[in-house]
Each structure stands twice: as C-alpha cells, then as structure tokens.
Amino acid sequence: MTADPTATATPDTDWYDRDTRTIAGVEKLRFFPQVAATGHGTYLITPSGRQVLDLSASWTASGLGHGHPRIVEAVTAAMAAPPGASLLSGTHPHAVRLAEELLDLVPTTGRHRRVYLGHAGTDANDVALRAARHATGRRRIIAFEHGYHGGLGTSMAISGVHIDAGASPEPDLTLVPYPDPYRPWIDPDTLLADTMALVQRHLADGDVAAVIVEPIQSDGGVIVPPAGFLTRLRVLTRQYAALLVVDEVKVGLSRTGHLMAHHIEDVVPDIVTLGKALGGGLPLSAAIGPASALDTPAASALMTTIGNPVSCAAGLAVLDILRDGALAHAAQDRGAQLTEALRHYAASDRPGAAHIGDIRGRGLAIGVELVEAGTKTPDPVLAAKAVLAGWHLGIIAYPVRGNVIEVTPPLTITHDEVTTATHLLTEAIDWAALGHVTDDDIAPYSGW
Ligand SMILES: Cc1ncc(COP(=O)(O)O)c(C=O)c1O
C-alpha cells in the first residue's frame, strides 16, 4: 500500500506504538492505526492534524458527534459544581430528572416502573437479565446467535459474538438464529414463521425468564429483521410470561429515524436498555422496566459511580437535543442519501462494485456486506483491507461479523459530509478490490 503506516515515525504512529507498549489487551479491536488527539462534529483529528471523517461515531457512543456544544455546556456546568460523584448513598437532581425523562420517553410494561442508571450497555443488560430472573423465578435466557449484549459477565456469556469467539456460554442459555433476510438460516419464504416457531418451542420448554433481542442485530452484521419480528416476539413472550428485553444500546436514540429502533413496530417491551449515545461521549447507560423486576436486590449493581452526575447531565442534554425529532428526521434523510449513493456504486462498473453483496439498514445504521465477486461468499479479508484503506483515505469505518462494513456516523452528519464519506468509502473498497492493500498491511491489526 502506498501509505505504509510503519515506514516513518510520525506523531500519529508514535502514539500508536506507545499504546501497544502500555495499554493492556491483545484483542483491542483494532483495524488500523487509529489515533485521535481531538475531534469536533463528525471529524476526529490526529495528533499530526489530519482530519478523518468518523463513520462509526466511536461505535455510536458519540452518536451526536464529537464535542456537541450543548453537551459540553451541560457537562462543564455539572463538573464545575458537582453534587458528589455517586448515586449510591444519596440522590441528586441530574439522576432523578434523567430517570423521569427516560420513563416519560420510553414506554415499557407495568404501572410502576423504574430506571437503573449505569455505566455501559454491558451492566445495563446484566442488571436487566438478573432482574428478569429474579422477578420470574426462572433461569433460562433466550438470545440470538451472533448477537452482542456486552463484554463482561452475563451480558457477555449470552452474546453470540463472544461465544463465536470462544467465550463460555451462560449455562442456562438458548441461542436461536436471528432472522437474516440476506442469509436466511432456513427457506426465505418461511424465515419469520420458522424463527418464531423455534422461539415458541423453547419458550414452551419452560423456565424462560427473558428473551433479549437487538431490534437491528448490529455487531452481528447490521441485520434488519423482517417486519413483524418484534411484534411476534412480544406476543410469544407475553403468552409464556417471559420478559421481553429490547437492547437499544447500539441503535436506540434516533439512529434509525425513530427515538427507539423498536418503535417501528407497535411493541411495548418489558425492559429497554440504552447506552452508548445516551452519555453523549461519557459512560452512561440505563435499563428501564417494571419496578417488580428493577426494584429487587438482583437488579442492584453496587458500583460507586453509577448515576454519576456529570454523565447524567450529559444524558439530559442528549435527550433534550433529541426531543424535537429533528435528528431522527436527519437520520432518515442522511441514511437514505448514503444508501442511495452506495447502491449507485454497487450498480456501477467500478472495481469494487462486484464485491457488494448487500446494502441494508435503517436511518444511519447501515451495513455494506462485502463478498467474493459474483457470489454470496463473505469476504472478511477484503473488508479488513477496505477499512484500512479507508483510514488512509480519511474515513473511520469498522467491519462487523467479519465482512460487513458498518456505517453509523454521528446523527449530525451533514449532506456534504455524506457526499464526501460515500466518495471515500467507495474509493476504499475499490483500493481493496484492486489489490492496493496487501495481506501484510492488515496483519498487525487484531480485528474482532
Ligand atoms: C447491542 C449492544 N448491546 C450492548 C452492548 C454493550 O455495550 P458497552 O460496550 O457499552 O458495554 C453493545 C456494544 O457494542 C451493543 O452493540
């Protein structure tokens, strides 16, 4: 590749090398030598001053862009006069107001409802599942193959992505195939019906505390399920008195064009979990659900900084920004613009076009599936090469499920930035298809 990242030490490569020598973990989910010294809006800026368009939004944790002025203002004020740092043994207005607003914005079942405020999607899902087990007196969790719900504890042990990578599954776990219209696990004509029949069979076996589901399976490949999937899950879980936990950590908060991704169907879950974008770049998560589950010892997570006022102030600012629905509309418009431009590319005779197997998504949660030309065979090596090329060309986008490039930019991305982004992304796929990136170039990056 023309730009060999290790050829000469630059301020950017120097930081990356020092990270390698100091920051723990061999599997750091690195895809290219990404280093950012600062950021604003849709851009991250490297120490040497290079501006890179961030089409990941830090895996959606910077969902409203980097350094949104209203979040900066709220956080600065909260930090300057903090009412302590914890919710553990005393409350404060930021947490109470955030919980009230979440209860108002996110319908869930039950007359008496509560909000758990945590640090990350991982603990929100952990708490939700522990609470569901406690409330139902049952043990079994039904989750979906290749799903992602967290990186520790129960959340990790029910996540198909981790189990695929060798993690030990939770003993009382049943994994069911997610209904993937592009790669159906069964006859495409009966995909939804057969998936639901399978879920029903497992529910009927008994002892199921909860079914946990992503409304779009994100790290599993940005898979948009067929219409009616969530509605039918709701009907079945109600029939068997299991809790329906909808994990909105990645695609919630307006990314799909709806405040919650599951609002596309007329579904009221028992528990909804949120994270990532909720904190506007700070660690913050929530589980919203019935008091009968969340007001139990099983739902407590005694971590000192849960409900941290600065994070809660950021969360309040995020909800305030989303309130008028303008960013949900923008997500629809910019998502349509991005998808259309990518489809135009896929239909062209450019070098990478034949490698586009599928383009799918909703709003600004988009997946571009790369395959061997003219087949449906996944091409994860090509995807690894394309995202590395993308970094050198000036975009950040990561692959999920190996061969799917995930595009989840900040919801604040502009029309012109989408034009630039699609130009650079398609160029990167062309570079990879033309062999401008070698196996040696991608070898240093652990990926998933
Ligand atoms: C759907 C979903 N749930 C939960 C999580 C875990 O969130 P966190 O990494 O903030 O713990 C993720 C992270 O990617 C996710 O995509």
Side-chain angles (χ1 to χ4, degrees):
M1 195 160 140
T2 40
D4 177 354
T6 56
T8 48
T10 66
D12 301 349
T13 58
D14 178 52
W15 283 111
Y16 197 80
D17 293 343
R18 285 162 68 182
D19 169 286
T20 307
R21 291 194 297 272
T22 53
I23 311 281
V26 286
E27 291 177 0
K28 293 192 223 167
L29 215 53
R30 299 285 165 79
F31 302 97
F32 36 80
Q34 180 182 330
V35 182
T38 179
H40 64 84
T42 317
Y43 285 93
L44 289 178
I45 296 128
T46 74
S48 64
R50 194 166 75 93
Q51 299 217 25
V52 187
L53 257 181
D54 184 2
L55 303 186
S56 164
S58 298
W59 292 105
T60 77
S62 297
L64 305 191
H66 304 288
H68 191 295
R70 282 166 66 185
I71 302 174
V72 172
E73 191 187 342
V75 163
T76 307
M79 193 65 208
S86 170
L87 188 61
L88 267 189
S89 299
T91 195
H92 55 82
H94 297 299
V96 175
R97 281 178 47 222
L98 180 60
E100 286 171 351
E101 296 213 7
L102 287 170
L103 288 170
D104 196 38
L105 288 170
V106 188
T108 52
T109 59
R111 218 157 73 80
H112 302 290
R113 304 186 305 131
R114 300 287 184 267
V115 179
Y116 162 81
L117 290 173
H119 292 142
T122 297
D123 59 312
N125 283 324
D126 230 84
V127 160
L129 294 174
R130 280 196 271 140
R133 282 175 160 167
H134 187 86
T136 59
R138 303 173 181 176
R139 288 296 303 165
R140 185 152 295 278
I141 306 289
I142 295 180
F144 289 86
E145 290 175 7
H146 314 299
Y148 193 98
H149 302 289
L152 291 170
T154 306
S155 299
M156 179 175 181
I158 56 128
S159 291
V161 166
H162 287 296
I163 295 164
D164 293 343
S168 303
E170 181 82 358
D172 299 303
L173 172 69
T174 300
L175 287 179
V176 173
Y178 197 83
D180 177 349
Y182 183 67
R183 296 185 185 282
W185 63 276
I186 200 152
D187 183 347
D189 292 336
T190 58
L191 176 64
L192 184 57
D194 287 338
T195 306
M196 300 328 295
L198 200 54
V199 172
Q200 180 161 17
R201 211 162 66 229
H202 292 302
L203 281 164
D205 283 345
D207 199 35
V208 177
V211 176
I212 184 167
V213 65
E214 294 170 77
I216 291 178
Q217 201 180 54
S218 307
D219 293 340
V222 195
I223 296 164
V224 181
F229 174 53
L230 297 172
T231 306
R232 292 174 74 167
L233 273 182
R234 178 64 286 186
V235 170
L236 283 179
T237 43
R238 191 165 280 139
Q239 185 180 342
Y240 290 92
L243 298 194
L244 178 63
V245 181
V246 175
D247 178 345
E248 291 271 359
V249 169
K250 184 94 168 257
V251 292
L253 295 169
S254 302
R255 175 158 296 284
T256 63
H258 303 267
L259 183 65
M260 297 291 136
H262 70 270
H263 288 172
I264 190 126
E265 296 189 27
D266 190 15
V267 164
V268 179
D270 296 303
I271 302 182
V272 171
T273 54
L274 292 170
K276 297 201 192 247
L278 182 63
L282 289 180
L284 179 67
S285 65
I288 303 133
S292 56
L294 291 178
D295 251 357
T296 63
S300 68
L302 290 185
M303 295 182 286
T304 310
T305 49
I306 55 171
N308 175 269
V310 180
S311 295
C312 289
L316 281 166
V318 167
L319 296 183
D320 198 41
I321 293 163
L322 296 180
R323 189 175 310 279
D324 66 5
L327 283 181
H329 278 116
Q332 276 173 1
D333 291 349
R334 298 286 77 77
Q337 183 194 350
L338 241 161
T339 306
E340 194 184 314
L342 291 169
R343 294 216 164 110
H344 187 71
Y345 167 75
S348 74
D349 58 4
R350 286 178 47 185
H355 292 276
I356 307 289
D358 195 26
I359 297 161
R360 55 181 174 253
R362 218 172 251 150
L364 283 172
I366 297 169
V368 183
E369 174 138 6
L370 298 188
V371 293
E372 291 175 11
T375 75
K376 279 179 90 168
T377 308
D379 198 338
V381 173
L382 189 74
K385 290 178 177 176
V387 299
L388 175 57
W391 167 253
H392 288 293
L393 288 166
I395 53 168
I396 292 168
Y398 307 123
V400 290
R401 189 83 178 271
N403 69 315
V404 180
I405 300 179
E406 185 181 71
V407 183
T408 54
L411 306 187
T412 49
I413 191 169
T414 65
H415 186 281
D416 287 354
E417 286 168 351
V418 166
T419 304
T420 307
T422 44
H423 168 71
L424 295 176
L425 178 59
T426 54
E427 181 120 335
I429 297 169
D430 281 347
W431 271 34
L434 286 168
H436 293 343
V437 189
T438 68
D439 291 348
D440 285 348
D441 290 327
I442 58 170
Y445 308 108
S446 58
W448 279 93

